[in-house]
Amino acid sequence: MSDRVPILRIGQVLLVSIQIDLEDQTVLDLQDDLAERIVATGAGGVVIDITALEIVDSFVGRMLANTAAISRMLDAETVVVGMRPAVAITLVELGLSLGGVRTALTLDKGLALLERDRTARTARP
Amino acid sequence: MTGHEVEQEETVPITSNDDVVRARQTVRTYAQQCGLSLVDQTKLVTAASELARNTLVYGGGGRMRCAAVRRAGRVGVHAVFEDRGPGIPDLDLALTDGWTSGGGLGLGLSGARRLVDDFDLHSEPATGTRVSVTKWKR
Amino acid sequence: MAVEHASERLVELLSRDDALQDQWVDAVAATLGGRISRAELERELTDLYQALTQALGKGGLDWRGEDYSEVRALLVEMSRTRARHGFTPTETAVSVFACKDVLAPTTDSTAEDITAYLQLTRLLDALGLFTIETYARAREEIISAQAEQLLELSTPVVKLWEGVVAVPLVGTLDSARTQVVMEKLLQSLVDSESEHAIIDITGVPAVDTEVAQHLLKTVVAARLMGAECTISGIRPQIAQTLVALGVQFGDIVTKATLADALRHVLHRSGAQQPAAPSTAGGDR
């Protein structure tokens, strides 16, 4: 019934760009879809772009933290990019620190972060 | 009750996930009209999102009334969330970080309280819960 | 005597003689010491006088009523102008109170006139207080507007290096100012795509718990956005206060000086470092 957020694949990375005010069910669907796509594609990284999000409440925050934890279990690293200052300030006030979620200022920097990780991991014996 | 003048008011029913989105959009419109700073808008809308979800999930649905208000020369946005659900047995406990009765993070009530200027919680077992919040323009 | 009669009688008394208005203007002018031109004052008070007479004629003595809306509007305008021009509350309210003297009873006043006069003084007292309240509100607005301007001026966010921004904080930090600075800093991280921020508090004489909390929250918020903050220039007294207050900076990087902080940041980001001065500080 509800819309689903599209998941794009660029090489080894899955890219999700959240463009609309999300309904709770859509948030849960996204979490499920991502887990499935990670396994199906063998992706090594996930980038969630929240530049367009005007708020992140505890529900969305929890989805971000869960997705990061789930993807790590499936051997993929998650980076959340583009969080607005007002959103970050609000999350801190709300008491949500998104422990375990890696973040980057922009999509570019997020992708670079995953790339650095990958080379570091492959360099290791 | 809180001694402010109501200038404009709107009621949004909260009976589905859709309505939670609608409630926060309504609050955002009011916050913008009232001239709250971007950060304050974001804080208020986030609080509204938490409270609307509580109304739906724990209160079994209800409604939100949102209003532009004025008190002592200050303008602000006031939102009241009401349900006729089971109520909250222990208010102090419910306002503690991390307490939850339904699988959430337990930040809804306590977090929402930190995001607004005025916070008022009324709840009676079996008759329902009413949470009113106000954010004033700085 | 009924109140309606009092207001009717007052209208008669006030309209009786044009000299009354002049007397009022004279009385007010004397208190303002020539800081408002006579012509301006005359215009102001004539309007008010007419509005007051009309209101009395129509609506009796209830100054909150619809009939007094013109009077109130004029008083609001007057108080605001006075507040902006730096007049004291007394100087503002006296413009209203001086109107009493105009009709002050004399030895040949009738009992009715005296009753009417008493009603007038009550009305003018209420209007005078209303004037003071409006004045106070106008002053508050002016003060908060100035405070806002000051905030804008006193919170520069500067770019120190490619990918490094800094806020040198100078002066006393209160909660409101800290919040504004922090919002500006976070926004500048986005605007300049900088992954590092340095908050330098060398010029801050004191920090209380609340301000320290704001600093901490900013660092956490910056991390959520994908940037790192370094705090530099914590003075010994401030460090002592913070410890005494039980504030802990946890894993937040702190450096003694802005230069140390910049060196640390550049080292971390692996950027080309400026040639280190020949001191032991240049660790690599």
Side-chain angles (χ1 to χ4, degrees):
Chain A
M1 186 187 94
S2 55
D3 301 327
R4 283 181 121 81
V5 181
I7 301 172
L8 309 175
R9 182 184 170 183
I10 308 171
Q12 280 299 295
V13 176
L14 295 179
L15 172 63
V16 178
S17 180
I18 302 176
Q19 294 293 335
I20 48 158
D21 197 349
L22 293 182
E23 217 182 89
D24 290 358
Q25 190 53 48
T26 320
V27 173
L28 294 175
D29 290 345
L30 175 60
Q31 191 177 312
D32 293 348
D33 291 354
L34 263 174
E36 269 170 42
R37 288 292 299 272
I38 292 170
V39 175
T41 58
V46 176
V47 177
I48 304 178
D49 177 19
I50 59 167
T51 313
L53 274 195
E54 288 177 329
I55 68 155
V56 171
D57 59 11
S58 65
F59 197 83
V60 174
R62 184 152 50 118
M63 178 276 280
L64 294 174
N66 283 353
T67 303
I70 293 166
S71 64
R72 196 163 298 137
M73 233 171 252
L74 301 171
D75 197 26
E77 197 62 42
T78 299
V79 185
V80 172
V81 305
M83 186 184 293
R84 299 182 180 193
V87 171
I89 292 172
T90 303
L91 275 181
V92 174
E93 207 70 52
L94 194 61
L96 221 58
S97 55
L98 298 188
V101 179
R102 306 183 70 180
T103 53
L105 280 174
T106 61
L107 183 55
D108 252 11
K109 290 185 196 293
L111 290 169
L113 184 69
L114 288 177
E115 185 57 35
R116 272 205 304 278
D117 261 22
R118 212 163 62 95
T119 40
R121 259 194 291 181
T122 46
R124 241 178 277 142
Chain B
M1 186 182 61
T2 29
H4 52 242
E5 298 167 38
V6 172
E7 301 209 321
Q8 196 191 347
E9 201 183 54
E10 202 170 315
T11 303
V12 180
I14 302 175
T15 51
S16 70
N17 277 333
D18 263 12
D19 293 334
V20 175
V21 175
R22 204 160 304 127
R24 55 181 184 239
Q25 282 165 351
T26 306
V27 172
R28 174 172 296 277
T29 311
Y30 274 78
Q32 281 167 345
Q33 276 168 3
C34 158
L36 291 186
S37 74
L38 185 61
V39 172
D40 285 344
Q41 277 178 36
T42 310
K43 285 183 178 174
L44 178 64
V45 176
T46 308
S49 184
E50 302 292 344
L51 296 173
R53 183 176 299 108
N54 279 354
T55 301
L56 180 67
V57 176
Y58 303 113
R63 61 175 187 163
M64 176 196 78
R65 277 181 295 138
C66 185
V69 291
R70 180 181 289 276
R71 185 173 70 198
R74 296 178 82 189
V75 290
V77 179
H78 180 67
V80 185
F81 299 82
E82 289 166 308
D83 65 58
R84 299 193 167 275
I88 303 169
D90 185 340
L91 293 183
D92 288 335
L93 182 63
L95 284 168
T96 313
D97 270 353
W99 181 85
T100 174
S101 66
L105 286 178
L107 289 170
L109 276 181
S110 56
R113 175 157 71 166
R114 281 192 294 270
L115 294 176
V116 296
D117 297 321
D118 301 339
F119 182 94
D120 189 42
L121 172 61
H122 272 276
S123 186
E124 270 172 49
T127 53
T129 302
R130 188 181 74 229
V131 187
S132 4
V133 297
T134 316
K135 189 98 190 157
W136 298 103
K137 185 173 188 258
R138 260 191 272 164
Chain C
M1 193 177 71
V3 171
E4 307 90 68
H5 290 122
S7 60
E8 276 167 30
R9 180 65 188 143
L10 283 171
V11 175
E12 277 170 42
L13 289 172
L14 287 166
S15 326
R16 185 178 53 183
D17 188 354
D18 283 350
L20 290 177
Q21 240 187 79
D22 288 335
Q23 279 175 34
W24 186 20
V25 176
D26 284 339
V28 175
T31 63
L32 297 182
R35 277 181 290 160
I36 293 186
S37 75
R38 169 109 195 161
E40 198 182 331
L41 200 58
E42 247 169 49
R43 190 178 43 73
E44 222 176 59
L45 295 183
T46 307
D47 288 351
L48 191 57
Y49 197 85
Q50 278 165 0
L52 185 64
T53 320
Q54 260 177 21
L56 277 168
K58 275 194 298 192
L61 292 158
D62 176 23
W63 70 279
R64 290 172 210 270
E66 181 65 26
D67 296 308
Y68 276 83
S69 58
E70 173 73 10
V71 174
R72 290 196 303 267
L74 286 168
L75 286 176
V76 167
E77 196 191 314
M78 186 181 84
S79 329
R80 287 180 175 276
T81 327
R82 294 276 200 282
R84 265 197 297 277
H85 290 97
F87 287 93
T88 65
T90 309
E91 285 166 333
T92 308
V94 91
S95 299
V96 176
F97 292 139
C99 187
K100 287 182 194 177
D101 300 339
V102 175
L103 290 186
T106 57
T107 41
D108 31 79
S109 297
T110 62
E112 281 80 14
D113 286 357
I114 293 176
T115 318
Y117 173 75
L118 287 176
Q119 296 292 340
L120 176 73
T121 54
R122 280 168 74 177
L123 173 68
L124 289 175
D125 284 344
L127 291 175
L129 289 176
F130 172 74
T131 314
I132 295 178
E133 250 171 54
T134 317
Y135 172 94
R137 210 172 305 144
R139 274 289 277 268
E140 273 163 27
E141 281 166 19
I142 293 170
I143 292 168
S144 67
Q146 284 173 341
E148 217 164 279
Q149 285 170 359
L150 205 63
L151 275 181
E152 283 300 311
L153 288 175
S154 61
T155 54
V157 178
V158 293
K159 182 174 174 180
L160 273 193
W161 207 265
E162 198 56 46
V164 186
V165 293
V167 257
L169 294 176
V170 178
T172 311
L173 285 180
D174 61 14
S175 176
R177 187 175 162 218
T178 316
Q179 243 166 308
V180 171
V181 178
M182 296 311 146
E183 288 173 28
K184 252 179 117 170
L185 175 66
L186 295 180
Q187 187 56 48
S188 75
L189 291 174
V190 175
D191 295 342
S192 64
E193 293 193 16
S194 300
E195 285 177 314
H196 297 276
I198 300 172
I199 303 171
D200 183 72
I201 58 172
T202 311
V204 177
V207 171
D208 63 15
T209 326
E210 210 178 335
V211 170
Q213 288 303 335
H214 280 306
L215 288 174
L216 288 173
K217 283 177 187 169
T218 308
V219 177
V220 180
R223 278 191 187 153
L224 281 175
M225 294 167 55
E228 274 301 317
C229 282
T230 305
I231 299 177
S232 69
I234 302 177
R235 297 167 171 223
Q237 311 94 292
I238 291 185
Q240 291 203 13
T241 331
L242 289 178
V243 171
L245 290 171
V247 175
Q248 290 187 340
F249 275 176
D251 55 348
I252 295 167
V253 180
T254 53
K255 291 285 163 197
T257 65
L258 184 56
D260 289 342
L262 180 60
R263 192 173 300 121
H264 164 78
V265 164
L266 292 177
H267 179 65
R268 278 201 45 177
S269 63
Q272 192 66 46
Q273 264 198 55
S278 55
T279 62
D283 58 329
R284 223 168 203 248

